[in-house]
Amino acid sequence: MQQRIAIYPDSESLSQEAARLVIRLAQEAIVTHGRFTLALAGGSTPRKLYSLLASDPYRGQIDWTRVDIFWSDERCVPPDHPESNYRMAYEVMLSKLPIPAANIHRMPAEQADRQAAAESYAAELRRVFGTAGVPVFDLIQLGMGPEGHTASLFPHQAALHERERLVLAVSVPKPPPERLTFTPPILQAARHILFLVTGSDKAEAVRAVLEDQGSPDDYPARLVHAAAGEVAWLLDTAAAAALQRRSTA
Ligand SMILES: O=C(O)[C@H](O)[C@@H](O)[C@H](O)[C@H](O)COP(=O)(O)O
């Protein structure tokens, strides 16, 4: 597994590089196997990336009819709720792109039976990927919290040790607490991973994860790796402040 760290002065320049990377990986995947499977992150950091991908000159560089969109986690709220990861991505990006509705695979996180919702999303993943095993995403885009969580995998939770199920219903300390989340097997099978991390509150977790400190139980982002491709960490200077070895883009 390759790992690349690039540091940017601000969110704009970081998001522009992220958009260029998504476009390159999408073009490669569509040429190689006819489609691009992408899992989106929630939270606020990727908002700028999603906005760029839906705008010129970026939007015209991907054949969006060949793209399948999933989410790596979702809050258990209605899809029109302000805290919905789907709502953010739909409003900022997906509603502006010619992606077939059948290719937008929303997590049914508003279902009362959250375990059944997790199981139905796992079934959707296996159907779309045509596998009884672990889906291999072309790209999973992730964020990271100040304590090293990623997707909705938080420190010291049982979900970190899941090796069979693809999606779990979990309760987490970041509100809204009830979530659906990818489990480590999916996050360890992807061809490529793109972490977007900004802000000084994440500097200590960035240092711990990238300088091999602490266990994955303490810093769940350490569980993530790309089976055959690259894990790219795009950081702003604030998030990279505690890193010893600095390489600036
Ligand atoms: O649903 C979520 O909350 C996200 O998937 C979560 O894992 C997010 O990526 C991190 O918490 C970073 O969030 P920010 O980008 O808002 O800092």
Side-chain angles (χ1 to χ4, degrees):
M1 178 194 77
Q2 295 173 326
Q3 181 167 286
R4 175 167 67 92
I5 302 168
I7 301 168
Y8 298 84
D10 52 42
S11 171
E12 179 69 30
S13 56
L14 178 149
S15 301
Q16 288 171 359
E17 174 59 22
R20 287 189 287 269
L21 177 58
V22 172
I23 288 165
R24 177 173 64 81
L25 294 176
Q27 292 174 342
E28 286 174 2
I30 291 168
V31 165
T32 307
H33 56 92
R35 69 176 181 180
F36 178 52
T37 53
L38 170 61
L40 301 179
S44 56
T45 303
R47 189 182 182 93
K48 182 64 188 166
L49 165 62
Y50 300 166
S51 174
L52 287 174
L53 288 172
S55 60
D56 292 331
Y58 302 96
R59 58 176 288 134
Q61 298 179 49
I62 295 178
D63 178 358
W64 293 101
T65 66
R66 300 294 193 99
V67 178
D68 276 287
I69 298 282
F70 292 83
W71 278 262
S72 56
D73 75 333
E74 183 56 279
R75 293 85 178 277
C76 293
V77 297
D80 60 354
H81 189 282
E83 287 286 350
S84 164
N85 289 338
Y86 163 83
R87 173 178 164 178
M88 185 271 277
Y90 185 81
E91 287 182 346
V92 172
M93 176 171 75
L94 302 176
S95 59
K96 301 170 181 173
L97 292 172
I99 301 178
N103 290 19
I104 298 177
H105 309 277
R106 186 178 67 82
M107 278 190 168
E110 74 282 8
Q111 283 180 12
D113 184 340
R114 297 190 299 114
Q115 201 47 53
E119 288 163 8
S120 73
Y121 201 65
E124 171 96 347
L125 281 160
R126 288 193 162 124
R127 178 184 67 79
V128 174
F129 281 83
T131 177
V134 181
V136 178
F137 274 86
D138 292 306
L139 175 62
I140 300 178
Q141 191 270 309
L142 294 168
M144 187 179 72
E147 77 297 273
H149 85 260
T150 192
S152 284
L153 297 173
F154 280 73
H156 313 300
Q157 292 204 336
L160 300 182
H161 305 287
E162 178 63 42
R163 292 293 176 267
E164 299 302 324
R165 289 172 290 179
L166 299 176
V167 184
L168 285 180
V170 294
S171 296
V172 302
K174 175 183 177 183
E178 304 306 325
R179 309 281 188 95
L180 297 186
T181 185
F182 279 2
T183 58
I186 296 188
L187 302 179
Q188 294 169 346
R191 294 190 179 90
H192 297 278
I193 299 280
L194 172 59
F195 275 102
L196 303 184
V197 185
T198 62
S200 58
D201 61 330
K202 304 183 182 177
E204 178 47 34
V206 164
R207 186 196 60 75
V209 171
L210 293 182
E211 296 190 353
D212 298 331
Q213 314 277 317
S215 79
D217 228 41
D218 296 322
Y219 295 99
R222 289 201 61 203
L223 284 167
V224 179
H225 46 74
E230 175 187 75
V231 179
W233 288 80
L234 304 190
L235 311 170
D236 70 356
T237 47
L243 280 179
Q244 298 308 320
R245 56 185 188 279
R246 300 283 301 268
S247 63
T248 52

